[in-house]
Amino acid sequence: MENCIFCKIINKEIPSYPVYEDDVVYAFLDITQTTKGHTLVIPKQHVTDIFEYDETLASELFSRIPKIARAIEQAFPECQGLNIVNNNRELAYQSVFHSHIHLIPRYSKEDDFGLTFNDNSQKYSTEDMTSIAQAIQEKVKNHD
């Protein structure tokens, strides 16, 4: 895509700090470095978000994630964990519209990264949960 910053990075039009590359995937340091080693993993094929992946691209991209994550862990022995974050569409905080996976190494609870989930379980009855699950199951069946 012409004006995509990640496509320009893949094409070496914009410099980056690469950590891994093959024919399908390019991984490089996130310029923000939320924590030391914060890496982005992107498909070389331009897809906007997870909703545009086909099964092959998803399999190829996600199969590389553990390899890159292990490399981060081995490069930084003080790494105590790792968050894998993927934002899809603007409402979900996607800011670059070329799909990308964040690998964010964690060093301590005070390492300037937070991720919390609210417990809304009291808002949903057993019937609500069953209905939600069935709605998703129906759509999954339609995509087989």
Side-chain angles (χ1 to χ4, degrees):
M1 180 170 257
E2 193 173 308
N3 287 322
C4 172
I5 190 168
F6 287 173
C7 287
K8 289 179 179 183
I9 288 171
I10 292 165
N11 292 326
K12 312 294 191 244
E13 297 168 35
I14 296 174
S16 65
Y17 299 95
V19 300
Y20 176 82
E21 181 175 11
D22 62 26
D23 57 331
V24 176
V25 168
Y26 188 69
F28 57 101
L29 294 180
D30 187 305
I31 199 74
T32 67
Q33 284 300 280
T34 298
T35 63
K36 181 176 64 177
H38 178 177
T39 298
L40 299 178
V41 181
I42 63 174
K44 287 186 170 181
Q45 174 187 338
H46 182 89
V47 290
T48 303
D49 53 39
I50 196 72
F51 303 108
E52 292 185 7
Y53 279 67
D54 62 23
E55 209 171 282
T56 300
L57 180 59
S59 174
E60 290 179 342
L61 182 115
F62 285 96
S63 70
R64 275 109 169 140
I65 298 292
K67 176 182 196 168
I68 300 165
R70 283 190 297 271
I72 292 168
E73 179 185 45
Q74 292 168 3
F76 305 108
E78 66 275 24
C79 177
Q80 300 297 309
L82 181 113
N83 287 98
I84 299 174
V85 178
N86 175 236
N87 303 324
N88 295 281
R89 299 186 179 158
E90 191 173 354
L91 183 64
Y93 305 108
Q94 185 177 5
S95 60
V96 175
F97 296 95
H98 181 126
S99 183
H100 54 287
I101 312 295
H102 293 262
L103 303 182
I104 305 170
R106 301 303 304 275
Y107 300 98
S108 76
K109 289 183 179 182
E110 291 78 39
D111 63 10
D112 205 25
F113 179 76
L115 187 63
T116 61
F117 297 94
N118 294 328
D119 180 358
N120 292 311
S121 58
Q122 68 279 11
K123 294 181 180 180
Y124 298 96
S125 68
T126 300
E127 293 79 17
D128 293 332
M129 296 294 279
T130 299
S131 177
I132 292 167
Q134 287 173 344
I136 296 169
Q137 289 170 6
E138 180 72 24
K139 297 304 179 186
V140 169
K141 288 178 189 173
N142 292 339
H143 288 288
D144 286 341

